[in-house]
Amino acid sequence: MKRLLVQVGIGALVTFGAQAQPAYPDHPIRMVVGFAAGGSTDLVARIVGNKLGAILGQSVVVENKAGAGGTIATDAVAKSKADGYTLLFGTSSHAINASLYKTLPYEPNAVVPVAVVAAVPMVLAVNPSVKANTARELVDDIKKNPGKYSYGSAGKGSALHMAVELLKYQEHLDIVHAPFRGASQAVQSVISGDLQFITDAVTTAGPMIKAGRLKPLAVTTGTRSSVLPNVPTMKEAGFPNYETSIWNMVMVPRGTPAPVVQKLSAALLQTVNDPEVRERLAKIGVEPILDSTPDKAAKFVQAETQRWADVIKAGNIQPD
């Protein structure tokens, strides 16, 4: 009888403990963005975060920790409590930084993917005075004039830099890189004619193209951009192995409980499949990823990390 009472008592404690465990989430969630407020990454994060909070029933507060290509933000999240209340809104830089920097303040797998949520196409654009009207014509002329073409980027290792380095790697080009502190400065240098071309996000380059200040040659994604529907893809322009984007991914500290990760994953899928979210992203040229899972996202990051490692090694690219 005593043994039965003890077992019943233990069962009651276990049941009480399970009931006492608060359901996730029971307070606001912090989403850390590694780039400045007002940029394309920040804008997408706020669109996603706003809907994600509504689905989860708690506010998602975007916090900007800009600097060092996103490593400051990644480090902050990696060292946060693994409870699902601190998220990283990561970008392509996460995969690039793994090879770009010899040492990082965090282990490469200190943060783990939950879902890829969006992809921002980039556009290869030139100063209107450049004779080339297609990406193939530009590449052919670069090959005829080695070392005479220069392009701008938002800094060494940035997605804009690596998009051109990928083309350089595949086509064996001799071109000059001019890194700037931000994409806007690089774009202005192309517009002024100091540089010949740039690969920039369609979200920021689009208005300059529509104003006739930049001439678009091709977009970098596998499908055409909703904001530049008449501009062909690089594949359509004759580069079958070329495809890249500035992707956005939600990540969490390693060790975050599996049920929390699964709940976040399901909520993010619901977020990007929401008609209003898809419409808002489409207006700025951002493509939602509608079928990502933690497993798919992990495999994607692994493939991206290896791809950029090959490009960085071949180009002997060093950080600023």
Side-chain angles (χ1 to χ4, degrees):
M1 184 66 175
K2 183 182 287 185
R3 181 179 295 176
L4 178 62
L5 289 173
V6 170
Q7 290 176 339
V8 170
I10 292 173
L13 286 172
V14 171
T15 302
F16 175 77
Q19 291 174 341
Q21 184 73 24
Y24 172 83
D26 69 343
H27 60 271
I29 297 168
R30 183 170 62 126
M31 182 182 284
V32 183
V33 178
F35 299 89
S40 60
T41 300
D42 175 74
L43 182 58
V44 176
R46 292 178 189 276
I47 292 172
V48 171
N50 184 57
K51 187 63 181 181
L52 177 64
I55 291 170
L56 291 174
Q58 290 289 342
S59 60
V60 174
V61 181
V62 173
E63 180 180 331
N64 300 90
K65 284 185 175 293
T71 59
I72 293 174
T74 304
D75 186 45
V77 174
K79 293 172 180 174
S80 297
K81 189 175 180 180
D83 57 5
Y85 289 97
T86 302
L87 314 179
L88 175 67
F89 198 77
T91 71
S92 314
S93 296
H94 181 75
I96 294 167
N97 291 341
S99 296
L100 182 66
Y101 294 95
K102 292 181 179 179
T103 59
L104 289 167
Y106 52 87
E107 294 178 19
N109 62 347
V111 290
V112 295
V114 178
V116 184
V117 294
V120 183
M122 289 175 276
V123 57
L124 175 63
V126 297
N127 181 284
S129 66
V130 174
K131 293 181 179 179
N133 290 312
T134 67
R136 176 52 67 189
E137 287 178 2
L138 177 65
V139 168
D140 288 346
D141 204 47
I142 289 173
K143 289 180 176 180
K144 293 175 184 177
N145 299 279
K148 293 185 178 180
Y149 274 82
S150 55
Y151 72 97
S153 81
K156 289 184 179 179
S158 65
L160 311 188
H161 174 209
M162 298 308 295
V164 179
E165 286 294 325
L166 178 61
L167 183 62
K168 175 183 175 181
Y169 172 67
Q170 292 181 348
E171 294 292 320
H172 310 289
L173 303 179
D174 182 359
I175 46 182
V176 180
H177 176 220
F180 290 83
R181 282 184 169 272
S184 60
Q185 293 174 304
V187 169
Q188 288 302 320
S189 290
V190 176
I191 290 172
S192 68
D194 292 334
L195 305 174
Q196 284 75 50
F197 71 102
I198 191 171
T199 299
D200 191 21
V202 297
T203 50
T204 51
M208 297 297 178
I209 289 170
K210 290 177 181 178
R213 303 180 74 186
L214 287 174
K215 180 167 62 173
L217 302 185
V219 293
T220 63
T221 41
T223 57
R224 295 194 180 196
S225 167
S226 59
V227 296
L228 298 171
N230 295 323
V231 178
T233 66
M234 287 291 287
K235 289 184 177 182
E236 289 174 326
F239 302 90
N241 298 318
Y242 188 98
E243 183 177 346
T244 189
S245 68
I246 304 172
W247 48 260
N248 299 133
M249 176 182 293
V250 174
M251 310 182 83
V252 293
R254 181 181 58 206
T256 300
V260 171
V261 172
Q262 290 301 324
K263 188 165 187 178
L264 278 171
S265 175
L268 285 166
L269 273 177
Q270 189 177 342
T271 295
V272 295
N273 279 279
D274 180 80
E276 182 183 355
V277 170
R278 294 176 65 175
E279 182 180 357
R280 290 183 67 187
L281 293 177
K283 283 183 178 178
I284 58 174
V286 177
E287 302 172 359
I289 306 301
L290 307 176
D291 61 350
S292 185
T293 64
D295 184 55
K296 284 183 179 180
K299 290 178 180 177
F300 175 76
V301 169
Q302 185 177 21
E304 283 287 279
T305 300
Q306 184 58 58
R307 172 165 72 150
W308 294 123
D310 293 341
V311 174
I312 289 168
K313 182 179 180 180
N316 191 28
I317 300 168
Q318 304 293 327
D320 288 327

